[in-house]
Protein backbone atom coordinates (compact mmCIF):
# COMPACT_ATOMS: atom_id res chain seq x y z
CA UNK A 1 0.00 0.00 0.00
CA UNK A 2 1.11 3.57 -0.55
CA UNK A 3 2.57 5.19 2.58
CA UNK A 4 1.86 8.73 3.69
CA UNK A 5 4.86 10.84 4.67
CA UNK A 6 5.21 14.20 6.40
CA UNK A 7 4.07 17.26 4.51
CA UNK A 8 7.52 18.88 3.88
CA UNK A 9 8.94 15.84 2.07
CA UNK A 10 5.79 15.32 0.02
CA UNK A 11 5.26 18.98 -0.90
CA UNK A 12 8.92 19.44 -1.84
CA UNK A 13 8.71 16.78 -4.53
CA UNK A 14 5.34 17.69 -6.02
CA UNK A 15 6.91 20.48 -8.10
CA UNK A 16 6.83 18.04 -11.03
CA UNK A 17 3.31 19.25 -11.74
CA UNK A 18 4.09 22.95 -12.12
CA UNK A 19 2.14 24.72 -14.80
CA UNK A 20 3.34 26.75 -17.76
CA UNK A 21 3.22 30.39 -18.80
CA UNK A 22 -0.26 31.82 -19.51
CA UNK A 23 -1.17 32.62 -23.08
CA UNK A 24 -0.67 36.20 -24.25
CA UNK A 25 -4.19 36.32 -25.68
CA UNK A 26 -6.41 34.32 -23.32
CA UNK A 27 -9.65 32.93 -24.72
CA UNK A 28 -12.75 34.83 -23.65
CA UNK A 29 -16.33 33.76 -22.95
CA UNK A 30 -17.27 34.41 -26.56
CA UNK A 31 -14.68 31.85 -27.69
CA UNK A 32 -16.12 29.29 -25.28
CA UNK A 33 -19.65 29.92 -26.57
CA UNK A 34 -18.42 29.46 -30.13
CA UNK A 35 -16.97 26.09 -29.14
CA UNK A 36 -20.14 24.95 -27.35
CA UNK A 37 -22.30 24.40 -30.46
CA UNK A 38 -19.97 22.02 -32.39
CA UNK A 39 -19.19 20.13 -29.18
CA UNK A 40 -22.92 19.67 -28.49
CA UNK A 41 -23.49 18.38 -32.04
CA UNK A 42 -20.62 15.91 -31.75
CA UNK A 43 -21.73 14.62 -28.34
CA UNK A 44 -25.39 14.30 -29.37
CA UNK A 45 -24.44 12.33 -32.48
CA UNK A 46 -22.24 10.01 -30.41
CA UNK A 47 -24.93 9.36 -27.79
CA UNK A 48 -27.92 9.06 -30.11
CA UNK A 49 -28.24 5.35 -29.26
CA UNK A 50 -27.36 5.75 -25.58
CA UNK A 51 -30.47 7.28 -23.95
CA UNK A 52 -29.14 6.42 -20.49
CA UNK A 53 -26.37 9.04 -20.93
CA UNK A 54 -27.20 12.76 -20.85
CA UNK A 55 -25.42 14.83 -23.57
CA UNK A 56 -25.93 18.04 -21.56
CA UNK A 57 -23.84 16.66 -18.69
CA UNK A 58 -21.00 15.82 -21.08
CA UNK A 59 -21.13 19.25 -22.77
CA UNK A 60 -21.17 21.08 -19.44
CA UNK A 61 -18.21 19.10 -18.08
CA UNK A 62 -16.31 19.63 -21.35
CA UNK A 63 -16.78 23.41 -21.30
CA UNK A 64 -15.81 23.54 -17.62
CA UNK A 65 -12.52 21.74 -18.31
CA UNK A 66 -11.76 23.82 -21.39
CA UNK A 67 -12.42 27.05 -19.49
CA UNK A 68 -10.08 25.95 -16.70
CA UNK A 69 -7.25 25.29 -19.19
CA UNK A 70 -7.92 28.15 -21.65
CA UNK A 71 -4.88 30.16 -20.57
CA UNK A 72 -2.53 27.35 -21.63
CA UNK A 73 -4.03 26.90 -25.11
CA UNK A 74 -3.89 28.80 -28.36
CA UNK A 75 -7.25 30.04 -29.59
CA UNK A 76 -6.87 27.88 -32.70
CA UNK A 77 -6.44 24.82 -30.44
CA UNK A 78 -9.52 25.50 -28.30
CA UNK A 79 -12.04 23.60 -30.47
CA UNK A 80 -9.71 20.65 -31.07
CA UNK A 81 -9.02 20.31 -27.35
CA UNK A 82 -12.75 20.60 -26.53
CA UNK A 83 -13.61 17.82 -29.00
CA UNK A 84 -10.87 15.62 -27.54
CA UNK A 85 -12.16 16.21 -23.99
CA UNK A 86 -15.74 15.49 -25.04
CA UNK A 87 -14.71 12.31 -26.84
CA UNK A 88 -12.79 11.11 -23.76
CA UNK A 89 -15.71 11.88 -21.45
CA UNK A 90 -18.17 10.00 -23.66
CA UNK A 91 -15.81 7.03 -23.92
CA UNK A 92 -15.35 6.94 -20.13
CA UNK A 93 -19.10 7.20 -19.50
CA UNK A 94 -19.85 4.42 -22.01
CA UNK A 95 -17.19 2.20 -20.50
CA UNK A 96 -18.51 2.70 -16.95
CA UNK A 97 -22.07 2.01 -18.05
CA UNK A 98 -21.10 -1.13 -19.99
CA UNK A 99 -18.93 -2.50 -17.19
CA UNK A 100 -21.67 -1.84 -14.64
CA UNK A 101 -24.28 -3.57 -16.77
CA UNK A 102 -22.07 -6.63 -17.36
CA UNK A 103 -21.18 -7.09 -13.71
CA UNK A 104 -24.38 -6.00 -11.98
CA UNK A 105 -25.31 -9.63 -11.27
CA UNK A 106 -22.01 -10.13 -9.47
CA UNK A 107 -22.57 -7.43 -6.85
CA UNK A 108 -21.58 -8.55 -3.38
CA UNK A 109 -20.85 -7.08 0.01
CA UNK A 110 -17.41 -5.42 0.23
CA UNK A 111 -14.79 -7.38 2.17
CA UNK A 112 -14.57 -6.53 5.88
CA UNK A 113 -10.98 -5.33 5.55
CA UNK A 114 -11.90 -2.59 3.04
CA UNK A 115 -11.51 -2.02 -0.68
CA UNK A 116 -8.21 -3.43 -2.06
CA UNK A 117 -8.41 -1.24 -5.20
CA UNK A 118 -6.52 1.80 -3.79
CA UNK A 119 -3.56 -0.36 -2.75
CA UNK A 120 -3.42 -2.02 -6.18
CA UNK A 121 -3.60 1.33 -7.98
CA UNK A 122 -0.89 2.78 -5.71
CA UNK A 123 1.39 -0.17 -6.48
CA UNK A 124 0.81 0.32 -10.21
CA UNK A 125 1.56 4.05 -9.95
CA UNK A 126 4.77 3.46 -8.03
CA UNK A 127 5.98 0.85 -10.52
CA UNK A 128 5.15 3.22 -13.38
CA UNK A 129 7.21 5.98 -11.75
CA UNK A 130 10.17 3.62 -11.45
CA UNK A 131 10.01 2.64 -15.12
CA UNK A 132 9.47 6.25 -16.22
CA UNK A 133 12.51 7.57 -14.35
CA UNK A 134 14.65 4.72 -15.64
CA UNK A 135 13.61 5.68 -19.20
CA UNK A 136 14.71 9.33 -18.81
CA UNK A 137 17.93 10.64 -20.28
CA UNK A 138 20.93 10.64 -17.94
CA UNK A 139 21.09 14.42 -17.65
CA UNK A 140 17.37 14.68 -16.85
CA UNK A 141 17.59 12.02 -14.13
CA UNK A 142 20.63 13.67 -12.58
CA UNK A 143 19.02 17.11 -12.60
CA UNK A 144 15.75 15.89 -11.06
CA UNK A 145 17.61 13.94 -8.37
CA UNK A 146 19.75 16.94 -7.39
CA UNK A 147 16.90 19.43 -7.33
CA UNK A 148 13.81 17.44 -6.29
CA UNK A 149 15.33 14.82 -3.96
CA UNK A 150 18.46 16.45 -2.51
CA UNK A 151 16.99 19.96 -2.55
CA UNK A 152 19.89 21.64 -4.36
CA UNK A 153 18.83 25.10 -5.56
CA UNK A 154 18.83 25.85 -9.26
CA UNK A 155 21.31 28.68 -8.70
CA UNK A 156 23.81 26.32 -7.06
CA UNK A 157 23.43 23.79 -9.88
CA UNK A 158 23.96 26.59 -12.40
CA UNK A 159 27.13 27.74 -10.64
CA UNK A 160 28.52 24.20 -10.61
CA UNK A 161 27.78 23.72 -14.31
CA UNK A 162 28.92 27.20 -15.34
CA UNK A 163 25.56 28.22 -16.86
CA UNK A 164 22.87 30.73 -15.97
CA UNK A 165 20.15 30.01 -13.41
CA UNK A 166 17.54 30.63 -16.09
CA UNK A 167 19.09 27.87 -18.21
CA UNK A 168 18.86 25.39 -15.33
CA UNK A 169 15.25 26.43 -14.67
CA UNK A 170 14.38 25.77 -18.32
CA UNK A 171 16.10 22.37 -18.20
CA UNK A 172 14.17 21.46 -15.06
CA UNK A 173 10.89 22.40 -16.72
CA UNK A 174 11.69 20.25 -19.74
CA UNK A 175 12.79 17.32 -17.54
CA UNK A 176 9.55 17.46 -15.55
CA UNK A 177 7.52 17.58 -18.76
CA UNK A 178 9.33 14.51 -20.13
CA UNK A 179 8.85 12.69 -16.82
CA UNK A 180 5.11 13.36 -16.89
CA UNK A 181 4.86 11.96 -20.42
CA UNK A 182 7.00 8.92 -19.60
CA UNK A 183 5.00 8.25 -16.43
CA UNK A 184 1.67 8.41 -18.24
CA UNK A 185 2.90 6.08 -21.00
CA UNK A 186 4.18 3.59 -18.43
CA UNK A 187 1.11 3.78 -16.19
CA UNK A 188 -1.26 3.20 -19.12
CA UNK A 189 1.18 0.80 -20.80
CA UNK A 190 0.79 2.71 -24.06
CA UNK A 191 3.01 2.52 -27.14
CA UNK A 192 3.04 5.65 -29.28
CA UNK A 193 2.13 4.94 -32.92
CA UNK A 194 4.42 7.54 -34.56
CA UNK A 195 7.73 9.29 -33.74
CA UNK A 196 5.89 12.62 -33.86
CA UNK A 197 3.62 11.69 -30.95
CA UNK A 198 6.19 12.11 -28.16
CA UNK A 199 7.18 15.59 -29.35
CA UNK A 200 3.54 16.70 -29.39
CA UNK A 201 2.86 15.25 -25.93
CA UNK A 202 5.98 16.83 -24.44
CA UNK A 203 4.99 20.22 -25.92
CA UNK A 204 1.53 19.83 -24.35
CA UNK A 205 3.01 18.75 -21.01
CA UNK A 206 5.41 21.70 -20.96
CA UNK A 207 2.75 24.17 -22.11
CA UNK A 208 5.09 25.31 -24.93
CA UNK A 209 2.61 26.99 -27.27
CA UNK A 210 5.19 27.94 -29.91
CA UNK A 211 6.28 24.31 -30.20
CA UNK A 212 2.63 23.23 -30.27
CA UNK A 213 2.12 25.50 -33.26
CA UNK A 214 5.25 24.29 -35.08
CA UNK A 215 4.22 20.64 -34.57
CA UNK A 216 0.57 21.35 -35.55
CA UNK A 217 -0.52 19.85 -32.24
CA UNK A 218 -4.21 20.67 -32.72
CA UNK A 219 -4.44 18.72 -35.98
CA UNK A 220 -2.42 15.84 -34.52
CA UNK A 221 -4.71 15.51 -31.48
CA UNK A 222 -7.73 15.24 -33.76
CA UNK A 223 -6.07 12.65 -36.01
CA UNK A 224 -4.29 10.51 -33.37
CA UNK A 225 -6.63 8.82 -30.87
CA UNK A 226 -3.68 7.67 -28.75
CA UNK A 227 -2.39 11.21 -28.17
CA UNK A 228 -5.95 12.52 -27.78
CA UNK A 229 -6.46 10.16 -24.83
CA UNK A 230 -3.18 11.27 -23.22
CA UNK A 231 -3.40 15.02 -23.83
CA UNK A 232 -6.07 15.83 -21.27
CA UNK A 233 -4.35 14.34 -18.20
CA UNK A 234 -1.12 16.06 -19.27
CA UNK A 235 -2.90 19.41 -19.41
CA UNK A 236 -5.05 19.14 -16.32
CA UNK A 237 -2.43 17.34 -14.19
CA UNK A 238 -5.27 15.68 -12.26
CA UNK A 239 -3.22 12.56 -11.59
CA UNK A 240 -0.28 13.99 -9.66
CA UNK A 241 2.90 11.97 -9.31
CA UNK A 242 2.31 11.42 -5.61
CA UNK A 243 4.34 8.24 -5.76
CA UNK A 244 7.43 10.45 -5.77
CA UNK A 245 6.66 11.73 -2.26
CA UNK A 246 8.44 9.02 -0.20
CA UNK A 247 11.71 9.26 -2.14
CA UNK A 248 13.56 11.52 0.31
CA UNK A 249 12.76 9.20 3.21
CA UNK A 250 13.39 5.94 1.36
CA UNK A 251 16.84 7.16 0.40
CA UNK A 252 17.73 6.60 4.03
CA UNK A 253 17.09 2.83 3.76
CA UNK A 254 20.33 1.56 2.14
CA UNK A 255 19.63 -2.13 2.81
CA UNK A 256 16.46 -2.07 0.75
CA UNK A 257 18.13 -0.05 -1.97
CA UNK A 258 20.80 -2.71 -2.39
CA UNK A 259 18.18 -5.47 -2.57
CA UNK A 260 16.17 -3.57 -5.17
CA UNK A 261 19.24 -2.83 -7.31
CA UNK A 262 20.21 -6.49 -7.33
CA UNK A 263 16.74 -7.58 -8.41
CA UNK A 264 16.15 -4.75 -10.91
CA UNK A 265 19.29 -3.98 -12.97
CA UNK A 266 19.14 -0.72 -14.90
CA UNK A 267 19.99 -0.32 -18.60
CA UNK A 268 23.64 0.20 -19.43
CA UNK A 269 22.96 3.81 -20.37
CA UNK A 270 21.79 4.62 -16.83
CA UNK A 271 25.21 5.11 -15.23
CA UNK A 272 26.75 7.55 -12.77
CA UNK A 273 24.42 10.23 -11.48
CA UNK A 274 21.73 9.10 -13.94
CA UNK A 275 21.62 5.61 -12.41
CA UNK A 276 21.52 7.09 -8.92
CA UNK A 277 18.51 9.20 -9.89
CA UNK A 278 16.71 6.25 -11.42
CA UNK A 279 17.31 4.12 -8.31
CA UNK A 280 16.29 6.95 -6.00
CA UNK A 281 12.89 7.37 -7.60
CA UNK A 282 12.35 3.76 -8.66
CA UNK A 283 12.78 2.57 -5.07
CA UNK A 284 9.25 3.82 -4.41
CA UNK A 285 8.02 0.43 -5.64
CA UNK A 286 9.19 -1.06 -2.33
CA UNK A 287 5.94 -1.14 -0.37
CA UNK A 288 6.48 -4.05 1.96
CA UNK A 289 7.15 -3.90 5.67
CA UNK A 290 10.04 -1.67 6.78
CA UNK A 291 13.46 -3.22 7.44
CA UNK A 292 14.23 -4.34 10.98
CA UNK A 293 16.67 -1.49 11.68
CA UNK A 294 15.82 1.48 9.47
CA UNK A 295 18.11 4.47 9.51
CA UNK A 296 16.34 7.63 10.60
CA UNK A 297 15.60 10.04 7.79
CA UNK A 298 17.43 13.37 7.87
CA UNK A 299 15.51 16.18 9.47
CA UNK A 300 13.75 18.25 6.81
CA UNK A 301 14.73 21.84 6.28
CA UNK A 302 12.35 24.02 8.29
CA UNK A 303 9.66 25.38 6.00
CA UNK A 304 9.04 29.09 5.66
CA UNK A 305 6.70 30.22 8.39
CA UNK A 306 3.18 30.62 7.04
CA UNK A 307 2.55 33.37 9.56
CA UNK A 308 5.29 35.66 8.23
CA UNK A 309 3.79 38.84 6.76
CA UNK A 310 3.72 39.15 2.97
CA UNK A 311 4.97 42.65 2.19
CA UNK A 312 6.23 44.86 -0.60
CA UNK A 313 8.45 47.71 0.58
CA UNK A 314 10.23 50.65 -1.00
CA UNK A 315 12.84 51.63 1.52
CA UNK A 316 11.06 51.61 4.89
CA UNK A 317 7.64 52.39 3.42
CA UNK A 318 5.23 49.45 3.15
CA UNK A 319 3.43 49.47 -0.22
CA UNK A 320 1.60 46.11 0.14
CA UNK A 321 -0.62 44.97 1.69
CA UNK A 322 -2.88 47.98 1.34
CA UNK A 323 -6.60 48.64 1.09
CA UNK A 324 -5.86 51.00 -1.80
CA UNK A 325 -2.59 52.14 -3.35
CA UNK A 326 -1.51 55.71 -3.70
CA UNK A 327 0.84 57.03 -6.37
CA UNK A 328 4.27 55.40 -6.63
CA UNK A 329 5.57 57.80 -9.30
CA UNK A 330 7.78 59.54 -6.73
CA UNK A 331 9.59 56.25 -6.03
CA UNK A 332 10.84 55.86 -9.62
CA UNK A 333 14.48 54.77 -9.69
CA UNK A 334 14.39 53.24 -6.21
CA UNK A 335 14.50 49.53 -5.29
CA UNK A 336 11.41 47.66 -4.12
CA UNK A 337 11.71 44.44 -2.12
CA UNK A 338 8.90 41.88 -2.10
CA UNK A 339 8.64 39.12 0.48
CA UNK A 340 6.15 36.33 -0.26
CA UNK A 341 3.57 38.60 -1.90
CA UNK A 342 0.65 36.81 -3.63
CA UNK A 343 0.42 36.70 -7.43
CA UNK A 344 -3.06 38.10 -8.11
CA UNK A 345 -3.33 37.48 -11.87
CA UNK A 346 -1.14 36.90 -14.95
CA UNK A 347 -2.74 38.71 -17.92
CA UNK A 348 0.45 39.17 -19.99
CA UNK A 349 3.25 36.97 -21.27
CA UNK A 350 6.07 38.54 -19.24
CA UNK A 351 4.19 40.40 -16.51
CA UNK A 352 1.77 39.90 -13.63
CA UNK A 353 -0.09 41.66 -10.81
CA UNK A 354 0.88 41.16 -7.15
CA UNK A 355 -1.20 42.12 -4.15
CA UNK A 356 -4.97 42.24 -3.74
CA UNK A 357 -7.74 43.14 -6.14
CA UNK A 358 -7.94 46.16 -8.50
CA UNK A 359 -6.69 49.30 -6.78
CA UNK A 360 -4.61 47.34 -4.29
CA UNK A 361 -2.03 45.68 -6.55
CA UNK A 362 1.25 46.47 -8.31
CA UNK A 363 2.35 45.42 -11.79
CA UNK A 364 5.59 43.37 -12.05
CA UNK A 365 7.38 43.15 -15.42
CA UNK A 366 10.09 40.59 -16.15
CA UNK A 367 13.30 42.04 -17.60
CA UNK A 368 13.97 39.73 -20.56
CA UNK A 369 15.88 41.87 -23.09
CA UNK A 370 13.37 41.01 -25.80
CA UNK A 371 13.75 37.24 -25.32
CA UNK A 372 11.25 34.81 -23.83
CA UNK A 373 12.04 34.06 -20.20
CA UNK A 374 11.90 30.51 -18.78
CA UNK A 375 9.96 31.65 -15.71
CA UNK A 376 6.47 30.20 -15.27
CA UNK A 377 4.18 32.32 -13.10
CA UNK A 378 0.59 31.46 -12.25
CA UNK A 379 -2.09 33.02 -10.01
CA UNK A 380 -1.99 32.00 -6.38
CA UNK A 381 1.78 31.59 -6.17
CA UNK A 382 3.90 33.59 -3.71
CA UNK A 383 6.67 35.80 -5.11
CA UNK A 384 9.82 37.22 -3.52
CA UNK A 385 12.18 39.53 -5.39
CA UNK A 386 14.09 42.81 -5.56
CA UNK A 387 12.98 45.10 -8.40
CA UNK A 388 13.48 48.58 -9.82
CA UNK A 389 10.58 51.03 -9.62
CA UNK A 390 9.94 52.46 -13.11
CA UNK A 391 7.72 55.46 -13.87
CA UNK A 392 4.74 54.87 -16.19
CA UNK A 393 4.99 56.74 -19.49
CA UNK A 394 2.59 57.13 -22.39
CA UNK A 395 3.54 53.88 -24.14
CA UNK A 396 4.19 51.79 -21.01
CA UNK A 397 0.92 49.78 -21.15
CA UNK A 398 1.53 48.72 -24.76
CA UNK A 399 5.17 47.79 -24.07
CA UNK A 400 4.33 45.56 -21.11
CA UNK A 401 1.35 43.91 -22.78
CA UNK A 402 -1.61 45.45 -20.91
CA UNK A 403 -4.66 45.87 -23.18
CA UNK A 404 -7.65 45.92 -20.83
CA UNK A 405 -8.79 49.59 -20.44
CA UNK A 406 -9.53 49.21 -16.73
CA UNK A 407 -6.08 47.69 -16.07
CA UNK A 408 -4.40 50.44 -18.12
CA UNK A 409 -6.22 53.11 -16.10
CA UNK A 410 -5.18 51.37 -12.87
CA UNK A 411 -1.53 51.28 -13.98
CA UNK A 412 -1.57 55.00 -14.82
CA UNK A 413 -3.19 55.82 -11.46
CA UNK A 414 -0.39 54.04 -9.58
CA UNK A 415 2.12 55.88 -11.78
CA UNK A 416 4.87 53.22 -11.63
CA UNK A 417 5.53 49.51 -11.99
CA UNK A 418 8.31 47.11 -11.00
CA UNK A 419 10.96 45.61 -13.30
CA UNK A 420 12.60 42.42 -12.00
CA UNK A 421 15.36 40.18 -13.34
CA UNK A 422 13.91 36.64 -13.75
CA UNK A 423 17.02 35.23 -12.06
CA UNK A 424 16.14 37.22 -8.91
CA UNK A 425 12.49 36.06 -8.81
CA UNK A 426 11.61 33.28 -6.35
CA UNK A 427 8.20 31.60 -6.59
CA UNK A 428 6.49 29.07 -4.36
CA UNK A 429 3.04 27.47 -4.32
Amino acid sequence: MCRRFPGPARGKLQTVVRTARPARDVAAEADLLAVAAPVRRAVTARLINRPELDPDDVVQETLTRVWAERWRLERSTLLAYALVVARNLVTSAERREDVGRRHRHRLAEPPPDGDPAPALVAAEEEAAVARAVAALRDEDRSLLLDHEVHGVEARKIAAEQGVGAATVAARLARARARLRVAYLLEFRRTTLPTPRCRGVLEAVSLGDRSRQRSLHAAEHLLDCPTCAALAEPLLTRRRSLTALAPVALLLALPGRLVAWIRGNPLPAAATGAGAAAAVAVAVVVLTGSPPPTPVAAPAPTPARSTTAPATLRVGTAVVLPAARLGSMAGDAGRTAEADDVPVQSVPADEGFWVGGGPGARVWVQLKTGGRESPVRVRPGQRASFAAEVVRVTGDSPARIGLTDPAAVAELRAVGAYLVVDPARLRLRD
Side-chain angles (χ1 to χ4, degrees), residues 96-115:
R96 286 195 302 270
E97 185 66 23
D98 292 341
V99 171
R101 185 174 60 253
R102 289 199 311 271
H103 296 284
R104 225 168 255 140
H105 67 285
R106 304 174 64 183
L107 289 177
E109 290 295 327
D113 55 348
D115 185 5

Side-chain angles (χ1 to χ4, degrees), residues 27-30 32 62-71 78 81:
E29 293 181 12
L32 192 68
T62 298
L63 297 181
T64 299
R65 296 190 184 189
V66 172
W67 183 255
E69 301 299 328
R70 70 193 186 282
W71 61 278
L78 209 61
Y81 178 60

Side-chain angles (χ1 to χ4, degrees), residues 303-311 321 339-342 382 384 428:
R304 186 187 194 93
S305 173
T306 56
T307 60
T311 59
D339 184 22
D340 223 29
V341 293
R382 295 279 177 163
S384 300
R428 72 176 184 89

Side-chain angles (χ1 to χ4, degrees), residues 250-251 253-267 270 272 274-286:
L250 288 174
L251 283 174
L253 308 179
R256 304 192 66 188
L257 277 175
V258 171
W260 191 91
I261 294 171
R262 288 173 178 170
N264 299 269
L266 292 172
V279 172
V281 184
V283 75
V284 185
V285 300
L286 299 172

Side-chain angles (χ1 to χ4, degrees), residues 331-423:
D331 294 321
R334 302 180 66 187
T335 298
E337 294 186 355
D339 184 22
D340 223 29
V341 293
V343 177
Q344 193 265 341
S345 64
V346 190
D349 209 23
E350 302 292 349
F352 53 94
W353 292 103
V354 297
R361 57 186 183 175
V362 177
W363 181 262
V364 179
Q365 184 70 21
L366 298 178
K367 185 178 181 180
T368 62
R371 297 185 300 273
E372 185 177 5
S373 74
V375 176
R376 303 293 185 262
V377 184
R378 68 177 185 275
Q381 289 183 308
R382 295 279 177 163
S384 300
F385 55 82
E388 179 187 1
V389 182
V390 177
R391 185 186 298 271
V392 173
T393 59
D395 63 341
S396 292
R399 283 192 291 103
I400 65 180
L402 273 183
T403 57
D404 180 65
V408 172
E410 182 180 356
L411 181 71
R412 295 192 186 282
V414 175
Y417 60 95
L418 307 180
V419 176
V420 61
D421 185 341

Side-chain angles (χ1 to χ4, degrees), residues 48-296:
I48 191 170
N49 295 322
R50 304 298 298 257
E52 70 276 11
L53 301 176
D54 189 352
D56 289 337
D57 290 343
V58 177
V59 173
Q60 181 177 355
E61 178 64 17
T62 298
L63 297 181
T64 299
R65 296 190 184 189
V66 172
W67 183 255
E69 301 299 328
R70 70 193 186 282
W71 61 278
R72 302 185 65 230
L73 296 165
E74 290 292 318
R75 286 174 182 264
S76 60
T77 311
L78 209 61
L79 177 58
Y81 178 60
L83 292 174
V84 167
V85 172
R87 183 166 63 194
N88 291 343
L89 288 173
V90 170
T91 301
S92 298
E94 290 177 335
R95 185 180 296 117
R96 286 195 302 270
E97 185 66 23
D98 292 341
V99 171
R101 185 174 60 253
R102 289 199 311 271
H103 296 284
R104 225 168 255 140
H105 67 285
R106 304 174 64 183
L107 289 177
E109 290 295 327
D113 55 348
D115 185 5
L120 294 176
V121 173
E124 282 293 320
E125 288 179 336
E126 292 166 355
V129 171
R131 294 192 300 269
V133 176
L136 287 177
R137 299 185 304 182
D138 290 352
E139 55 267 30
D140 288 342
R141 282 195 298 267
S142 178
L143 192 60
L144 288 174
L145 175 67
D146 289 343
H147 187 67
E148 308 295 349
V149 178
H150 297 311
V152 182
E153 294 186 357
R155 285 177 293 184
K156 185 175 180 180
I157 297 175
E160 292 174 351
Q161 297 182 358
V163 297
T167 300
V168 172
R171 290 176 182 172
L172 278 168
R174 289 193 294 269
R176 294 186 192 104
R178 294 183 185 118
L179 178 58
R180 284 190 292 268
V181 173
Y183 165 77
L184 198 58
L185 293 175
E186 293 293 341
F187 182 77
R188 298 193 176 190
R189 301 183 183 276
T190 300
T191 301
L192 296 177
T194 69
R196 180 185 175 195
C197 293
R198 186 175 290 272
V200 170
L201 292 176
E202 288 180 356
V204 170
S205 178
L206 184 60
D208 189 339
R209 297 182 307 281
S210 62
R211 183 156 175 77
Q212 290 174 23
R213 286 193 299 270
S214 66
L215 293 174
H216 302 288
E219 293 86 346
H220 182 78
L221 291 178
L222 287 176
D223 294 337
C224 180
T226 301
C227 290
L230 298 172
E232 186 186 0
L234 286 175
L235 271 172
T236 58
R237 316 284 169 79
R238 291 191 176 189
R239 182 180 292 281
S240 63
L241 299 185
T242 53
L244 286 174
V247 175
L249 298 179
L250 288 174
L251 283 174
L253 308 179
R256 304 192 66 188
L257 277 175
V258 171
W260 191 91
I261 294 171
R262 288 173 178 170
N264 299 269
L266 292 172
T271 58
V279 172
V281 184
V283 75
V284 185
V285 300
L286 299 172
T287 56
S289 58
T293 56
V295 180

